Each structure stands twice: as C-alpha cells, then as structure tokens.
Amino acid sequence: WRVRLSPDQGLNVLRMVEEAEKGNLKALYVMGENPVKSLPQHDRVAAALARMEFLVVQDILDTETVQKADAVLPGAAFSEKPGSFTNMEGRINCFQPMVEPPGESRPDWEILDRLGQKLGNPQPFGAVSEIREEMVRLIPQYAGLADISEGEWTWIRPLEGTRLFSPQGPGDRIPFSSLEKSEYEAGDDAYPFTAVLGPLRFHLGSGTRTGASKRIAGFDVGGAIAVSPQDADRLQITTGETVLVQSKFGSLAREIRLENGLPVGVVVVPMGVNGNDCLNLMPLSSGEIGPCGGFNRCAVRLERQ
C-alpha cells in the first residue's frame, strides 16, 4: 500500500503481557483470540490486560477476553460471510454465507475496512471482490487466478517448484524446522513423565468456540488423561481413577484412561476442557522457547488420589 513498514519485529504475545504488567503497553487490539483462556496463568493475563489504557477486542463470542475490553467489535463467523481458505496443501476453498450475521456484527474485512477509513484511508475496498482482485494482482501465488470465488476448487501457484501437493502429484520436499526441547520439558527423578498438551478431536485450541457447542457437549468430553498401560501398572492405577498431575509450576486433577501404543513415560493431557486448566502446568514466561514457542510439553509427576 506504498507505506514504509517498521523494521522492528515488535512484541510476541508473551512480551505483550510482560510489557502491559510494567505499564509500557498502553493499548491492544485483539482479533479472534482469547488470551485470557489460551495462555498460561489466566489470572495474570487478565490482570495485565486490565492495566492497559485501552483494549479493543474483535470476536464472534462473548469470551473471557471480551469481558475485559473497553470496546467490542462484533465479527461474523465463517458461515455468515463470503470468503476463502487456502489450506496447507495450497488448495483454495471458497464459501458463501449461509445465514446473515446477527445483530450489528460484521465480517472482519468490513470492520477493518471501516477502521481504515476512520484512520484516513482514502481508498477503502468496499467489497470482498476488490480484496481478491488485489490478491491476484500483488501476491505471486495467486497471480493469474481470474476469479477464486466461483466454481470448482483451485490451487495456488507453487514458487520455485516447491509445494506440498498439487493436482500433478507431490512436489519437492519442503524443509521443516528442527524440534527443540523447551526448558520446561527436562525431567528428573522428581518429575519423570513428559506431559504432552493438545486438543481432542472434539475441540480446537483452548475450546473457546468448540466449548460453546451443545452438540459437542453431548459427547461428554471429560478430558481424561491418557497413560500407557505399563505406567498405569507401575503406579497401580486404572481407567476411571483420578490422578494429580503436578509440574514445577502448577497442578491439576483428572481421571485417566489407558492407551495402548503410548510411549512409556509420556502422558497426554487434553486441552479445551475444564476452562483449559491444562495450562496450569505451564508458566507464562518467554524463557527459552523463543518468539514462536508454544505451550505443549513439560515435565510432570503423577500421584494417585
């Protein structure tokens, strides 16, 4: 858009919390995220957001983070607006609205478009079609795609011959970053197990959206912790019993279930249930996990209740 971009990488989400606690971060625009629930130390995150002078939250649900906002911009869900998703294999999936957005909610693009006008943008988009035209004109992977909103599925154009999949078959291998252990994963005699934190197939992430589904709630997803039969035998516990899972940073109590094939010494703690309390096992710290680190593994011990 012919503007100079700052070379400063800015703050990652953990640093944002830390700077808000110090009073250095004055305002924040949160879009489609619920950090009060999706980050460790929920109370600490909520207190940090409360310290800021102005908090704007744009979302489709009344979340824990929305409750802290000074201004709420109601967005529209994917079924309430036109658009497209480009998945990891490069396939473009387009969709049209099935229902009208409720109340005064608006598609995200329209909210941002209107905000841009308020900030002085003299050339608002005004329509999804205009955004797509700009994508086709400026993004090499979309070049030459006349209309990505109509008809059959289509694919982005691979660059330099590298792609995951395509109609012509597999492409060149794509390099992946090496998996590095975090400082929280190192176990010892006091914390001999590695806890892997991850969502069940019924939930996405912290469960903010999927936790609001009555249909999913009907599956009675309790978030039982998966333990190998060998570890369960050694601890003299079995399916349905409750264990205390404790790390160096916190603890939680849940029922267990035995899972064949799970490596000895590994337990799986589901996310998205019980207020996403699995993050009680993790600290909110930049630590050694880097600017793109996540909260998915830590050393724990199990105690029978």
Side-chain angles (χ1 to χ4, degrees), residues 276-292:
N276 208 32
D277 65 347
C278 69
L279 291 185
N280 291 343
L281 302 174
M282 301 292 299
L284 182 62
S285 170
S286 298
E288 301 296 328
I289 62 176
C292 297

Side-chain angles (χ1 to χ4, degrees), residues 56-131:
V56 182
V57 180
Q58 182 172 323
D59 214 321
I60 64 173
L61 296 174
D62 185 10
T63 69
E64 292 84 353
T65 304
V66 165
Q67 293 296 317
K68 304 295 180 182
D70 297 293
V72 178
L73 303 176
F78 78 94
S79 58
E80 301 163 351
K81 59 187 178 183
S84 62
F85 295 110
T86 302
N87 66 19
M88 288 295 292
E89 64 178 354
R91 183 175 290 182
I92 304 170
N93 302 304
C94 299
F95 53 89
Q96 297 296 329
M98 300 298 294
V99 294
E100 289 293 322
E104 297 184 72
S105 58
R106 295 290 184 270
D108 291 331
W109 75 264
E110 185 175 336
I111 294 174
L112 296 175
D113 203 31
R114 292 188 180 189
L115 180 61
Q117 288 181 264
K118 294 292 185 180
L119 293 174
N121 177 26
Q123 295 180 318
F125 284 104
V128 171
S129 59
E130 294 185 21
I131 299 174

Side-chain angles (χ1 to χ4, degrees), residues 5-244:
L5 298 179
S6 171
D8 185 0
Q9 293 184 358
L11 305 175
N12 64 31
V13 66
L14 303 180
R15 291 291 311 284
M16 288 180 190
V17 174
E18 294 169 350
E19 293 303 312
E21 289 176 320
K22 298 174 185 177
N24 296 331
L25 187 61
K26 304 297 184 181
L28 196 63
Y29 190 136
V30 180
M31 181 175 170
E33 289 289 339
N34 185 12
V36 174
K37 188 175 181 181
S38 63
L39 293 178
Q41 296 181 264
H42 305 320
D43 292 341
R44 179 184 173 187
V45 175
L49 295 181
R51 287 207 60 184
M52 291 191 296
E53 295 178 7
F54 191 57
L55 175 64
V56 182
V57 180
Q58 182 172 323
D59 214 321
I60 64 173
L61 296 174
D62 185 10
T63 69
E64 292 84 353
T65 304
V66 165
Q67 293 296 317
K68 304 295 180 182
D70 297 293
V72 178
L73 303 176
F78 78 94
S79 58
E80 301 163 351
K81 59 187 178 183
S84 62
F85 295 110
T86 302
N87 66 19
M88 288 295 292
E89 64 178 354
R91 183 175 290 182
I92 304 170
N93 302 304
C94 299
F95 53 89
Q96 297 296 329
M98 300 298 294
V99 294
E100 289 293 322
E104 297 184 72
S105 58
R106 295 290 184 270
D108 291 331
W109 75 264
E110 185 175 336
I111 294 174
L112 296 175
D113 203 31
R114 292 188 180 189
L115 180 61
Q117 288 181 264
K118 294 292 185 180
L119 293 174
N121 177 26
Q123 295 180 318
F125 284 104
V128 171
S129 59
E130 294 185 21
I131 299 174
R132 286 176 168 145
E133 288 174 6
E134 182 179 85
M135 291 172 60
V136 169
R137 187 173 70 254
L138 298 180
I139 303 177
Q141 292 94 327
Y142 294 87
L145 300 178
D147 192 346
I148 59 175
S149 66
E150 299 293 337
E152 301 177 357
W153 292 358
T154 188
W155 300 75
I156 62 173
R157 296 183 179 279
L159 299 181
E160 300 178 355
T162 301
R163 59 186 185 272
L164 287 176
F165 301 98
S166 79
Q168 290 77 37
D172 298 334
R173 291 187 176 183
I174 293 179
F176 287 86
S177 301
S178 60
L179 181 63
E180 298 181 4
K181 287 189 175 183
S182 71
E183 59 178 322
Y184 319 126
E185 195 176 352
D188 51 33
D189 292 340
Y191 300 93
F193 292 90
T194 297
V196 177
L197 283 55
L200 296 166
R201 66 186 179 93
F202 297 101
H203 286 292
L204 294 174
S206 63
T208 295
R209 289 167 293 171
T210 48
S213 168
K214 293 181 180 180
R215 183 169 180 268
I216 291 176
F219 288 103
D220 191 25
V221 182
I225 295 169
V227 179
S228 72
Q230 297 91 327
D231 285 328
D233 184 62
R234 182 165 57 85
L235 295 170
Q236 297 184 333
I237 54 178
T238 187
T239 294
E241 292 192 71
T242 299
V243 296
L244 178 69

